[in-house]
Each structure stands twice: as C-alpha cells, then as structure tokens.
Amino acid sequence: MDMQGEYRIPASRETVWDALNDPEVLKACIAGCESLERTEDGGFEATVKAKVGPVKATFKGAVRLENVNPPESYTIVGEGKGGAAGFAKGGADVKLTEDEGETILNYTVNAQVGGKLAQIGARLVDSTAKKYATDFFEKFVEIVNEREAAGKEAVVTEDDAPAPSPQLEAEQAPPPPEAPARESAADTPQPTMTETRDDIARAAIDAVDATKEKRKGMSPFQWILLLVAILAGLTLLFGGGGPMTGTGG
C-alpha cells in the first residue's frame, strides 16, 4: 500500500516540528489512540483501537525515527500488531518546507498488511488509511494553529506592556536609609564621682600588684614616684566629696 499527501499549515516550521515530536499532540490526533509514549531511542510506542471494514482490533505498535534532520524532515519506521486481525508494517517520509511564514507538510507512506487485513481487499484498506490520515491532519492543524496563536499573543502581550514612568519608579523606590543620629555630649553618660573613685582605687591596687612582681628590677627613684602616685590617688579617693579647686597661676 502506497499513499502520499500534502498539507499546508498556517504556522512556522519550528512550531510544526515541535508538534510532530510531542507525544500528547500525536495522541490527541490519532483516532482511537489509548496510549502513546516516547521510548529511550527517540521513537514511540502506541496502543490504538482501529476498525478497517468489518475488522475491529486493538493494535500495539512501535515506531522509531530515522534520518532526523530538524526542523526539516525525518523518516518513520514501525510495525503494529492486532492479534488475529493481522499486522501492518512500513515507513513514511515526512518533509516540512517553509513558504511565506507557513509550512507545507509532505508525506509518503509505504506499508504492508497481513492476516485478516490483507483479506478484506486493498481498496478498503487504502480508503480507511486515507480517512485516518485526513482525520489526523485536520486535528493536527487545529492544535498547531492554537499553539501558534498562543505564542503570538504571548509576544504581543510582552511588547505592549507599558514601561514604568520615572515618577512611578521614584514613588516605588524604597526610602534611603536614615543616618544614625550622633550622640551629643549631653546624651553621653558621664561617669559619676563614685565610679571615678572606684576606678582610681582599682588603678592603685593594680599598681601595687604590679610592683610586687617588678620590685626587684625597680630603682629607688622609680619606687618613690610610684608611692607618690598611689598616695595622690588615695587622697583623691577619700578626700572631700566635691571637685578640687585650683589656684590661679
């Protein structure tokens, strides 16, 4: 059985190619298709319920793609078996040609049938195959047109989106971070007299401890200066509560 045909599809060749390799699209286009899955070798496995004249059967088949030249052409080779109903095997060459933004799809099929399918007559088999092909491509063109329209609508929506005005961007921009407020002298906590006395006492004690460790290495003059400093600190610590008043030079 030989069959060939041509269809003009109002869509880009890339869109048509992608659809021809989409299992979901193919499943939706094949009448009676119950399942269609991609195989590891890039082909497909399918289960299809078909009726050819008085013969009804569920065909299980596998096809593989050869001579793949995306997005221009490929060859489909496969075989389907329907049990007692017979079998069908063969191949098809598919070619896509660009023409003024649309795609012309050409296909040529060469197939052989056996079993009961071969007994019902070549004319009936041919007419049934052509009907399946017509139904397939009518549905295929419908799906591809929807995809093409959806793609153009998405592009137009992106192009027509208004650019934000400078005023709107300024309004939406986050406010600049506030600079940390500098602490004034009035805000800075001042040490109290009690804290000052405590600091002097701790310094005097630390000095005494330090001298214990350095006593052997200090000269008599350094010892006298250290004692004077300690006595002056103790006088400030235990002397009058108010600040000392200086005498004019």
Side-chain angles (χ1 to χ4, degrees):
M1 178 185 68
D2 296 324
M3 184 173 60
Q4 60 184 8
E6 178 180 297
Y7 283 87
R8 187 179 189 90
I9 304 174
S12 65
R13 184 165 64 171
E14 287 74 14
T15 301
V16 176
W17 177 268
D18 291 341
L20 283 173
N21 287 273
D22 188 334
E24 294 299 324
V25 174
L26 298 178
K27 180 180 178 181
C29 296
I30 300 173
C33 183
E34 296 182 339
S35 67
L36 191 147
E37 299 176 354
R38 187 180 293 276
T39 58
E40 294 181 356
D41 60 359
F44 300 95
E45 290 183 349
T47 301
V48 180
K49 283 186 176 182
K51 181 177 182 300
V52 182
V55 179
K56 296 181 181 180
T58 298
F59 292 85
K60 294 184 178 181
V63 299
R64 66 181 184 274
L65 305 182
E66 298 180 352
N67 305 322
V68 180
N69 183 25
E72 186 174 325
S73 61
Y74 61 42
T75 299
I76 304 173
V77 179
E79 180 179 3
K81 297 180 179 180
F87 68 90
K89 62 180 180 179
D93 293 320
V94 179
K95 183 178 181 181
L96 305 178
T97 306
E98 290 182 317
D99 185 30
E100 298 181 355
E102 297 183 343
T103 302
I104 298 176
L105 185 151
N106 290 279
Y107 68 90
T108 302
V109 177
N110 179 269
Q112 297 177 347
V113 295
K116 291 183 178 180
L117 291 177
Q119 299 174 5
I120 61 178
R123 182 177 298 180
L124 182 56
V125 172
D126 287 348
S127 63
T128 302
K130 290 179 180 178
K131 182 180 185 306
Y132 270 95
T134 300
D135 294 343
F136 174 90
F137 283 108
E138 285 181 353
K139 184 63 176 179
F140 181 80
V141 171
E142 178 184 341
I143 294 176
V144 171
N145 286 343
E146 292 176 355
R147 285 192 170 191
E148 187 82 353
K152 291 180 179 179
E153 182 178 352
V155 172
V156 171
T157 302
E158 292 178 358
D159 293 341
D160 293 346
S165 63
Q167 181 179 359
L168 180 59
E169 290 182 347
E171 293 176 354
Q172 295 179 347
E178 297 181 358
R182 295 183 178 179
E183 296 182 353
S184 62
D187 296 334
T188 303
Q190 301 296 326
T192 63
M193 180 59 65
T194 303
E195 293 174 346
T196 303
R197 290 177 179 175
D198 293 342
D199 293 340
I200 295 174
R202 281 194 295 269
I205 295 172
D206 292 341
V208 172
D209 292 340
T211 57
K212 292 180 180 178
E213 297 178 1
K214 300 180 180 179
R215 182 178 298 174
K216 294 181 180 180
M218 294 179 67
S219 65
F221 179 72
Q222 291 173 328
W223 261 106
I224 293 172
L225 290 179
L226 179 60
L227 290 174
V228 171
I230 293 173
L231 291 174
L234 293 175
T235 302
L236 288 173
L237 179 61
F238 297 104
M244 297 175 60
T245 57
T247 58

